[in-house]
Amino acid sequence: VGGSLGGSLAAPSALSVAPAELLRREAERQASVSKLRGKAFERSLQLHEEKEMAISAQLAEIKARLTEEQATHAEALAAANDEIARLRKDAADAAAAADLARIA
């Protein structure tokens, strides 16, 4: 009974593995960790670039909208200035007409 119990509990120990094998496994583990870190860095860089591109696209859209709004406001301002100039001219003409009517 003791022998079968001991056999089922016994696991391969590090002592039963040759030191060269342990070194090889550790080197593989470190290479795997290094590879995973590299992939994580690449993915992080990719996500950063994607986010940067999305922000740039949003900024370009906002800039285009603002430029369009500025153009619209510039047109409205020009129209308002034209209307003011016309009203001033009409007022000056009316004042001149009133002066002529007083003289005549």
Side-chain angles (χ1 to χ4, degrees):
V1 173
S4 65
L5 181 60
S8 65
L9 292 178
S13 69
L15 297 177
S16 66
V17 179
E21 178 66 15
L22 289 175
L23 291 173
R24 185 188 65 76
R25 287 180 185 175
E26 179 61 17
E28 286 177 355
R29 185 190 71 76
Q30 287 181 6
S32 177
V33 167
S34 179
K35 186 176 180 180
L36 288 172
R37 284 184 178 148
K39 285 182 180 181
F41 176 79
E42 288 174 11
R43 182 63 180 143
S44 175
L45 184 61
Q46 180 184 9
L47 289 172
H48 177 75
E49 289 172 351
E50 288 173 1
K51 187 174 185 179
E52 193 173 277
M53 287 178 9
I55 290 170
S56 293
Q58 288 176 338
L59 287 174
E61 182 181 323
I62 291 169
K63 184 178 178 181
R65 231 180 322 158
L66 287 174
T67 300
E68 184 179 312
E69 287 179 15
Q70 281 180 324
T72 300
H73 290 304
E75 289 172 6
L77 181 60
N81 285 335
D82 290 347
E83 181 66 13
I84 290 169
R86 187 188 63 76
L87 290 172
R88 285 182 178 156
K89 183 181 180 304
D90 288 351
D93 290 347
D99 286 343
L100 284 176
R102 264 186 268 137
I103 296 173

